[in-house]
Structure formats: C-alpha cells, structure tokens
Amino acid sequence: MSPRDLQLELTSDPSELARVRELLGDWCQADGWDEQRRADIVLALDEALTNVIRHGYEGRPGQRIDVTVQHVRDAVRGEGLEITVRDYGRQVPIQSICGRDLRDLQPGGLGVHIIHGVMDSAEYTHAPGGGMRLVMRKYRGGAAGRPARPEPE
Amino acid sequence: MSDGRHNLDIAVSHDADGTAVIRLDGEIDLRTSPMLHERLIELAAQRPPRFLLELTQVSYMDSSGVGTIVDFKRRLERYGGRLVLVGPQPRVRGVLEITRLDRFFTITATIDEARQR
C-alpha cells in the first residue's frame, strides 16, 4: 500500500538536511521507487532546500520552509510524485533562476542544474504573500538521473 | 535537529614524496561542506605537489560538496598542484556527471591507481 502524502514543516537549518533525506528516502522506498530514482528524488529535495537556505533566507537559520510530497497522475506520463517546496523568504526574478553555464568551471548555481537533471519537471513561481514556490515532479516511467545530452563543446 | 549520525570525518596523511592523502568518511552537504572547505584551504596553503582525495567512504554529496572540490582544485592550480579524486561511489560520481564536472577531474578507482598518476 502506498504511503500517505507527506507534509513537513522545516526550518532553514543545514542540520535538518540529513534527517529530511532519510525521511524522504524511506517514504520513496515504501512507495516502491527503485534505488536510482530514490536517490534522484532525495538529491533534488536536498538541492532545493539548500537553495532556499542559501538564497531565499540568505543563510538565516530558523526560517520556515514547507514541503509536501504527494502522488500525482498525468494523462500522458502516468504515475509519479510531486514535491512542493515553499519558503517565505526573498523573492527572486524567475528568469534569474537557471542552472549556470556548465562550460564555466565555477562553484555556485549547480543546484538548479542538478534538480533539472534528476527530475522530470521543476518550476519556480512567486508564492502569494511572499517567498518562492518550487514544484518538482518525477514519474515512474521517466529516466533516472544522468547528464543531459548533447554536451556543450 | 541533527541526530549526530550524519557527519563527515576528515583524515590526512602524507606520502614520502609529499603527496597529501585526504580520506573523507561521511556525507558532504550544506552542513558539512563549510568545515571541509575550511580544512581544504588550510591544506592547500601548505602547497603539497599533489592531493589524493579519497571519496570511497563518502555516501552522499550534493552541489555544495561539488562546489567545495571545484574551489579546492582551482586553489591548487594556482601554484601548480594536482588533484586526483579516488573511488567515488556511483551516486557521488553521478553528481559529478550530472554537473558535467567529471571531465575536469582526474578520477581513479583505487588509491594505488591514483599514486601511479
């Protein structure tokens, strides 16, 4: 039997991350996701939370982050899960949220690129009343995470 | 909120030829990467000719870990130092591949192979 949808109220503390990874990994396992896709999903949420802590709250601890994980069904892509990450921090222009140019060997901006690499979809919007909302989906029939091709030269 | 089980241990030794061997054990994320970054900066300041960064016991790494290692490599390159990544587990290697940074690193399966490089 599938586990019930998950609702987490977290704070913007890096020490939360390991616990959340473990919790989501267990939930995905109970929901029948294979090891590769479980790892993809857990990585995507970790990266999303890391971005909120770093950029949304600019490193301020103790700020609220809401996470929901729920089952979805798409007419074309079939069954999957949807993770929503909502913060109450700084709103940034949507067009500024993009993976960095991978030809440029610099740290930073990698998280969004990883999220797009391991999930089937990811969309940022401004949340009503302030903050950002990220909705990510992964379908059971979608590809497991691997580098997008073709590679830039 | 930490349960204390998710940490990163860093052990450093030196080969006779001056190569610094750094063994990491644990998880590299936003919580542990600042401490790792600080330690790597200290070690880079000693300017050994080569670093072997052993990742065999690293069970998890996210973009904060990748960023830390990229920054470390850039610091070494400024004085001509070299970096070899040793034995990343498939998921850790996968993160490097997703970010297409695997091509910028020398990666070996074992520490012995790394010493031959």
Side-chain angles (χ1 to χ4, degrees), chain B residues 13-80:
Chain B
S13 62
H14 290 85
D15 290 351
D17 67 356
T19 296
V21 181
I22 307 170
R23 289 189 177 83
L24 304 182
D25 186 343
E27 300 184 330
I28 310 176
D29 65 5
L30 188 61
R31 186 169 78 87
T32 57
S33 61
M35 176 261 289
L36 174 62
H37 191 238
E38 196 176 320
R39 188 76 179 103
L40 292 178
I41 288 174
E42 285 172 10
L43 291 165
Q46 297 167 10
R47 299 195 164 201
R50 187 173 62 159
F51 279 95
L52 310 185
L53 188 61
E54 197 171 344
L55 300 170
T56 317
Q57 298 302 318
V58 174
S59 55
Y60 183 84
M61 183 170 76
D62 67 9
S63 64
S64 68
V66 175
T68 296
I69 295 175
V70 168
D71 181 69
F72 181 52
K73 179 176 162 63
R74 294 182 77 88
R75 285 170 189 272
L76 304 188
E77 286 173 345
R78 281 183 212 145
Y79 71 82

Side-chain angles (χ1 to χ4, degrees), chain A residues 36-55:
Chain A
Q36 173 78 49
R37 286 178 179 78
R38 278 204 309 272
D40 289 344
I41 293 163
V42 166
L43 179 62
L45 179 58
D46 176 290
E47 295 292 352
L49 294 173
T50 292
N51 279 343
V52 169
I53 295 169
R54 269 184 166 166
H55 305 299

Side-chain angles (χ1 to χ4, degrees), chain A residues 8-102:
Chain A
L8 306 170
E9 190 172 315
L10 310 173
T11 56
S12 56
D13 298 286
S15 59
E16 294 261 64
L17 294 172
R19 183 178 70 91
V20 173
R21 290 197 300 268
E22 195 168 323
L23 211 153
L24 182 60
D26 290 347
W27 188 93
C28 289
Q29 186 163 20
D31 199 39
W33 291 84
D34 64 44
E35 188 179 354
Q36 173 78 49
R37 286 178 179 78
R38 278 204 309 272
D40 289 344
I41 293 163
V42 166
L43 179 62
L45 179 58
D46 176 290
E47 295 292 352
L49 294 173
T50 292
N51 279 343
V52 169
I53 295 169
R54 269 184 166 166
H55 305 299
Y57 290 122
E58 297 170 298
R60 290 193 309 280
Q63 308 299 308
R64 181 177 169 183
I65 308 172
D66 298 333
V67 174
T68 60
V69 184
Q70 57 188 344
H71 298 95
V72 290
R73 181 168 182 80
D74 180 272
V76 176
R77 310 189 76 167
E79 289 185 357
L81 64 74
E82 180 179 277
I83 302 178
T84 303
V85 180
R86 199 258 201 251
D87 69 66
Y88 301 82
R90 197 165 61 94
Q91 283 192 331
V92 299
I94 302 297
Q95 64 271 24
S96 73
I97 306 171
C98 54
R100 61 146 179 77
D101 185 341
L102 293 175

